[in-house]
Amino acid sequence: MAPALEELSAAAARIRDGEIAKPVREIAPLSLRVHELAMKCTRQVHDLSVSQYPAMKDGAENLAHLAGACAQISLAATLCNLAIHHRTEILLYEDADSTPATSRDQLRRAGVEMQRAATTYRAVARGLSRRLASFSARAEDRQLIAAAQGPSPQKAPSTSPAPAARRRV
């Protein structure tokens, strides 16, 4: 994910540095790619959440970090769409900003969000790689997963009194 996010962030910077004369044609491909990456990230977080990953050491915390990264990628995609919208407003409103300044700011913010998400992905991947490379860490994770899959504790019997039966008169 991190390399793809960096590539998309660089693409946003190239577009931002241009004239943005044809916003739909210039920004929409980037927006679509960022949206697709956001969907892929969300699918990945879902798949990890229903796997054994949350039972591993720091798995639940890492999952929360990845969910945050997904939100950042989704925000970046939305900012790309806003960049298109702000640049095309001149076609609809007489008093709209005729310069690409607002769109450039939206693209800058999108790039920042993608860089933050890339940093998160790198940190989580680095931690997971270290755990997978360590025999003792893998053994610990196997124990944590086994404990999480073990028999669930029995429910305690209900202590609330049963409702009293009504007498018919």
Side-chain angles (χ1 to χ4, degrees), residues 67-99:
C70 284
Q72 290 170 314
I73 298 167
S74 293
L75 175 58
T78 299
L79 288 167
C80 289
N81 282 349
L82 282 172
I84 294 169
H85 170 71
H86 285 123
R87 192 66 184 117
T88 57
E89 277 186 332
I90 59 172
L91 301 173
L92 302 174
Y93 307 110
E94 290 179 18
D95 59 343
D97 182 7
S98 60
T99 69

Side-chain angles (χ1 to χ4, degrees), residues 48-139:
L48 285 172
S49 74
V50 297
S51 73
Q52 297 172 343
Y53 186 72
M56 294 170 60
K57 184 173 181 187
D58 300 327
E61 183 179 332
N62 288 339
L63 199 56
H65 287 299
L66 293 176
C70 284
Q72 290 170 314
I73 298 167
S74 293
L75 175 58
T78 299
L79 288 167
C80 289
N81 282 349
L82 282 172
I84 294 169
H85 170 71
H86 285 123
R87 192 66 184 117
T88 57
E89 277 186 332
I90 59 172
L91 301 173
L92 302 174
Y93 307 110
E94 290 179 18
D95 59 343
D97 182 7
S98 60
T99 69
T102 304
S103 293
R104 284 188 176 127
D105 184 53
Q106 301 297 341
L107 291 171
R108 180 195 58 76
R109 290 176 54 204
V112 166
E113 293 301 328
M114 286 186 277
Q115 287 296 329
R116 286 180 182 161
T119 299
T120 299
Y121 266 97
R122 248 192 227 95
V124 170
R126 193 171 30 252
L128 185 57
S129 292
R130 273 191 229 119
R131 286 203 64 76
L132 292 174
S134 166
F135 178 77
S136 61
R138 285 194 320 266

Side-chain angles (χ1 to χ4, degrees), residues 4-50:
L5 287 165
E6 288 177 346
E7 176 191 329
L8 292 172
S9 182
R14 283 191 299 277
I15 295 167
R16 186 180 72 231
D17 291 342
E19 291 182 33
I20 314 178
K22 298 177 181 174
V24 176
R25 188 176 299 161
E26 294 172 27
I27 303 171
L30 171 68
S31 180
L32 289 169
R33 289 175 59 204
V34 178
H35 276 288
E36 288 168 358
L37 193 61
M39 292 299 294
K40 183 178 179 182
C41 175
T42 303
R43 171 62 58 200
Q44 184 180 60
V45 167
H46 171 265
D47 292 346
L48 285 172
S49 74
V50 297

